[in-house]
Amino acid sequence: MNDLVRQHTALSETDLEWLHLLVSEWQLLSDLSFADLVLWVPTLDGSRYVSVAQMRPNTGPTSYQDDMVGHLVPRGRRPLLDAALDEGRIVREGDPEWREEVPVRVESIPVRREGRVLGVIARNTNLLTVRTPSRLELTYLQSASDLAQMIAAGSFPFPGQQVDMDASPRAGDGLMRLDADGVVTYASPNALSAYHRLGLASDLVGQHLGTTTAELAPSRGPVDEAIAKLASGWAPRETEVEGNGGVIQLRAIPLKPKGTRIGSLVLCRDVTELRRRERELITKDATIREIHHRVKNNLQTVAALLRLQARRMDSPQGREALNEAVRRVGSIAIVHETLSQNLDERVEFDEIADRVIAMVSEISPGRVDCRRTGRFGILDAEVATPLSMVLTEILQNALEHAFGQGEGGTVEVSAIRTGSGRADGRLLITVLDDGSGLPEGFDPQRAGNLGLQIVRTLVEGELGGTFDMLRAEPRGTKVVLDIPASPQK
């Protein structure tokens, strides 16, 4: 709609926003009318109309099998559009049109904003299934007529009341018609069922909806007053009411077809099962986060015990082996700590990488500067956990073997993410140091060092990637990891 309005019409951005607000609401008008709606806007030179939006009803057969958006019609070909635009009134005159052997009643509703007519809604009703209407259908049609008059007067939609069409109740979910005092004059079967879910034992017709709703809700005090006012239809609002184990969503629409409030529509939807499932998901999320938190605490306890044992070791080799184990356990604990703060099993790995770098830097024998460049991005826990261990081992190896006692240097971890957001995306990680370099004849694929064995096993076996160590120029060592950014099935 934005492109069509800006390309073909003289409407301003504020006018366009009004049309967007109308389109967010007009599913209700379409359903109440049992009719298709097409929004026509005059072109810049006024010689034609362009259709910028279309809506089909959920409550009846469509009048248009084809998509009408983008069609251009010369002025004069559709007299009802001309009359509604020029005279600013709803036009219903004329005989039904025949489209593919289907009789269609056409009406035109001017769309007014601040005294100006921006365009015209063509309301097209398929008459093929016309029969004697029920009370529900009569209520729908009367409500649609009231809304159409409000659109023509510029009082509907309500400014600042953008509606989420997916989340808001619809006419078919449940509809109640109230008089000016807030008393129910009609309640659809679905609306009555929703209120029975709240604990209502009687009929709704003849009852003051605000008072009845407040009595069914378990809360007391100012909340009752707010619910009572909303359910009485005095203002365009939405809320949820919970009682007797049921939850219903309410939406009030004041009706002012001639400027004076004559009553209101209240749409309702039984969302009991939906809210129950949401609460179950919240409970599961909380449980998963608590599990990660406890795993993190247990790993930190294990690390503390290993650290305590290392202090009691007389053998330098044994003490160092336990300290390496402490760092390995710590790298896994960092991942679980991050997962305990998230709502899903995905983590921002840049933060984890920075914490791993800071943890391993503590063992640096000299003035070694460790830093990260590039971004790892968001990774699944199945990738983040082994990758944190791999990163710990590589950094630990670089700091232990690349620099002598008291020597300075740099270790840089760089990450390049390719194909971000795709299942086939990859992560290229390089760890580069300017230390002493690899010894002659060193083969990273056969080296017996435990740390390198862990790296090979995790990278090739668990992550499904490749690992290599190379001489860097002019000096130092470069470790290259190429792994899938998503878990391997």
Side-chain angles (χ1 to χ4, degrees), residues 274-291:
L274 179 63
R275 296 295 175 260
R276 183 185 63 79
R277 288 195 296 268
E278 288 178 351
R279 287 167 185 164
E280 287 180 353
L281 289 174
I282 291 172
T283 302
K284 287 179 181 179
D285 287 339
T287 302
I288 291 171
R289 292 169 67 177
E290 178 63 21
I291 290 172

Side-chain angles (χ1 to χ4, degrees), residues 9 21 38 54 113 122 193 212 239 278 291 298 465 469:
T9 78
L21 191 61
V38 179
Q54 180 180 2
R113 173 181 176 269
S193 296
T212 301
T239 192
E278 288 178 351
I291 290 172
N298 291 338
M469 295 182 72

Side-chain angles (χ1 to χ4, degrees), residues 44-307:
L44 187 61
D45 60 4
S47 64
R48 295 182 295 177
Y49 298 97
V50 58
S51 57
V52 298
Q54 180 180 2
M55 179 58 66
R56 293 183 174 91
N58 293 318
T59 52
T62 183
S63 302
Y64 285 113
Q65 298 298 327
D66 299 327
D67 185 6
M68 295 297 296
V69 176
H71 283 215
L72 290 164
V73 174
R75 185 178 172 86
R77 179 174 295 179
R78 300 196 176 180
L80 296 186
L81 294 182
D82 299 339
L85 182 68
D86 297 339
E87 300 172 23
R89 66 180 179 88
I90 299 176
V91 182
R92 297 189 175 93
E93 298 89 357
D95 297 326
E97 297 181 2
W98 286 84
R99 299 175 189 162
E100 298 179 357
E101 299 183 356
V102 175
V104 176
R105 182 176 65 242
V106 181
E107 303 168 81
S108 294
I109 304 167
V111 177
R112 193 183 304 273
R113 173 181 176 269
E114 296 181 351
R116 295 166 42 245
V117 177
L118 307 182
V120 179
I121 294 176
R123 181 163 55 175
N124 304 268
T125 307
N126 187 325
L127 300 178
L128 199 60
T129 58
V130 168
R131 53 184 172 80
T132 303
S134 64
R135 179 132 186 244
L136 181 144
E137 291 167 334
L138 289 173
T139 304
Y140 273 29
L141 292 172
Q142 181 58 54
S143 302
S145 177
D146 293 335
L147 287 179
Q149 291 183 57
M150 292 170 65
I151 292 172
S155 58
F156 187 83
F158 304 108
Q161 293 291 321
Q162 188 84 26
V163 174
D164 184 349
M165 295 174 63
D166 293 328
S168 186
R170 299 190 178 190
D173 296 325
L175 178 143
M176 292 166 284
R177 176 87 185 213
L178 313 185
D179 64 15
D181 296 322
V183 176
V184 180
T185 60
Y186 176 78
S188 71
N190 283 346
L192 189 59
S193 296
Y195 267 78
H196 284 168
R197 191 74 177 263
L198 288 181
L200 181 69
S202 61
D203 195 1
L204 274 171
V205 175
Q207 299 201 39
H208 188 279
L209 187 64
T211 303
T212 301
T213 304
E215 290 174 351
L216 293 172
S219 58
R220 294 293 179 265
V223 176
D224 272 359
E225 296 178 10
I227 290 175
K229 187 173 182 179
L230 184 144
S232 299
W234 286 95
R237 294 287 186 273
E238 288 193 31
T239 192
E240 285 189 5
V241 179
E242 184 170 357
N244 194 42
V247 184
I248 64 171
Q249 186 179 15
L250 296 176
R251 182 189 175 202
I253 303 171
L255 296 176
K256 303 176 182 179
K258 295 182 180 179
T260 303
R261 183 174 171 275
I262 64 168
S264 57
L265 281 181
V266 177
L267 306 179
C268 68
R269 178 186 178 196
D270 185 349
V271 293
T272 305
E273 292 304 312
L274 179 63
R275 296 295 175 260
R276 183 185 63 79
R277 288 195 296 268
E278 288 178 351
R279 287 167 185 164
E280 287 180 353
L281 289 174
I282 291 172
T283 302
K284 287 179 181 179
D285 287 339
T287 302
I288 291 171
R289 292 169 67 177
E290 178 63 21
I291 290 172
H292 284 302
H293 182 71
R294 293 189 182 189
V295 169
K296 182 263 297 183
N297 288 344
N298 291 338
L299 289 172
Q300 288 180 338
T301 300
V302 171
L305 292 173
L306 291 173
R307 196 178 293 112

